[in-house]
Amino acid sequence: MDVAIVGIGIHPFGRTPARSGLQQGAHAARLALQDAGVEWGDMQFAFGGSASAGSADALVNELGLTGIPFINVANGCATGGSSLIAAYNAIKSGQYDVGMVAGFDKHDRGAFNADPKELGIGDWYGEVGLMMTTQFFAMKIQKYMHDYAISHNTLAKVSEKAFINGSKNPNAWRTKPISVDEIIDSTMVSNPLTKFMFCSPAEGGVALILCRADHAKRYTDAPVYLKGATMKSRRFGSFEVFAPSQALQQVDGPTVDASNAAFEMAGVGPRDIDVMQLQDTEVGAEIMHMAENGFCEDGEQEALIQQGATHIGGSMPVNTDGGCLANGEPIGASGLRQVYENVLQLRGQAGDHQVPGDPTLAYTHVYGAPGISAITILQR
Amino acid sequence: MSNQIPIAEGLFSWPAAKPALLASRCKRCGIAAFPVASTCMACSGQDVEIEKLPSRGTLWTWTIQQFMPKTPYKSNETPESFIPYGVGYLELPGGVRVEGRLTENDPHKLQIGMEMDVVFEPYRTEDNGDEVINFFFRPVRSPQ
């Protein structure tokens, strides 16, 4: 039994002082129900996640107390992907016919301040100033630039593209294009990455309605099928965020593992993908994730990005809605935003950020602490 | 003279004439880990022995932390007195790559592959006057 996505809803990302994170989640949930032509009372189950805006299952207070099982998922940046996998399996197993996946969040301004203890690391690690995701991403791209000759200009071009795409997306946070020079000259945060090369914690909500594929046409003329959904944690030897040490012998990270598993599950390869949303918490991540997900060889990004291949009209459009860079990262909602965008793309409803050529296969990827990755492959 | 205490017990030998970072090495698979752990992350083995890591290695990658981190960062600095600091992974031959602060914060004086020594220096002073010692990586010489 295949699984289809038959309804999608989003609350605009960015800052919405008048609404709590929960209310943003409820807004997205109502739109998703409306999109599928169903009522909350039709939902047989729900999975949801929120990192900083309360329990996802508090959504029932907004949507109605119907008695369904609503399970909270907490998996860092992979929360949305993990919720989706849980829902996929719930339907695939035959237990349920139709249900909801929801994610929302509302974070304070500024970088996340993680607690080492929650990850089993000593207090000293945070006290001396190593408990910073920004440092990891900076050090990973620093090494990658050294090994594969990626230029600073290419780093900036990733942000430039993100803000251009954001300007075409009415639900994005950052909607004003910023020049390459302005990006390079903005405040240095963690060398080589400047302020405009990082995404920020933000707010937003996304909800999806999933059902058995053979019921999909009851809800929509344009179902999108979940052909692959995988999540992996790190193996020994991969270079990960919040690691006081790493092994001398390096192995592939969880992105590579989750990506390989997703392609195998879907029975397709990287060359078949028409549009991709890759975790871009900063520009280096997008560059490295292009190769880690199999879309190019290490080092090819320099030419691809300089040639504009990752733009909406390019040969491999990446982060067509502006990605995390233009939308910010509300952790609970971020991975589902990628899926929302891909459903729009596959339905041909993405408006100014629609990729040309009637895309049929779309790919999402998230990466997060302490070394996890989740992938989805969607097909119309 | 003020009392000097390590930032965490068991992270490095202290007090010692020649302090060193401490690692655990798995007796089953031979993989070293820092900080010392009772279980081997490589093979799940639980029989480990503690050893001193080498005091010199090569810089694997680095960055400069340009703004003052929020809590749990704990130094004697204020946002006004904060000085950007280098962070890097030092590859210690035969051991592991250890993440730590660098004594150097000038990006022009840091290069991947440069040699660095592990040094132990005061990091902050507690209210009772105790000096808290942390490990740092210091360039052996300036890059050409």
Side-chain angles (χ1 to χ4, degrees), chain A residues 65-89:
Chain A
L65 306 181
T66 60
I68 62 164
F70 192 128
I71 295 175
N72 292 326
V73 177
N75 232 171
C77 298
T79 295
S82 297
S83 300
L84 207 51
I85 290 168
Y88 174 88
N89 288 325

Side-chain angles (χ1 to χ4, degrees), chain A residues 14-15 30 54 125 144 165-166 211 238 241 271 354:
Chain A
R15 295 280 173 209
R30 290 189 190 101
Y125 190 75
Y144 198 84
N165 291 356
C211 75
S238 66
V241 61
R271 287 177 187 284
Q354 178 70 46

Side-chain angles (χ1 to χ4, degrees), chain A residues 109 111 113 125-129 135 138-139 142-143 188-191 236 243-248 250, chain B residues 7 11 31 34 42 60-67 70-74 85 89 97 99 101 123-124 134:
Chain A
R109 286 164 202 278
N113 53 335
Y125 190 75
E127 290 176 11
V128 303
Q135 291 171 3
M139 287 193 285
Q142 184 93 284
K143 174 72 173 160
M188 185 61 77
V189 171
S190 195
N191 305 53
F236 180 74
S245 74
Q246 36 159 336
L248 296 182
Q250 206 176 338
Chain B
I7 191 153
L11 210 55
I31 294 286
F34 173 85
W60 191 74
T61 187
W62 60 273
T63 186
I64 311 290
Q65 176 67 34
Q66 298 283 2
F67 64 91
K70 300 183 205 171
T71 314
Y73 188 63
K74 191 177 175 188
Y85 56 89
Y89 278 89
R97 293 186 195 122
E99 185 183 18
R101 282 180 64 143
Y123 172 62
R124 67 166 188 256
N134 184 38

Side-chain angles (χ1 to χ4, degrees), chain B residues 87-116:
Chain B
V87 174
Y89 278 89
L90 192 66
E91 181 161 325
L92 298 170
V96 291
R97 293 186 195 122
V98 175
E99 185 183 18
R101 282 180 64 143
L102 313 178
T103 59
E104 182 59 70
N105 71 353
D106 179 348
H108 302 294
K109 293 182 178 170
L110 293 168
Q111 271 178 8
I112 287 174
M114 72 190 293
E115 279 196 303
M116 289 194 157

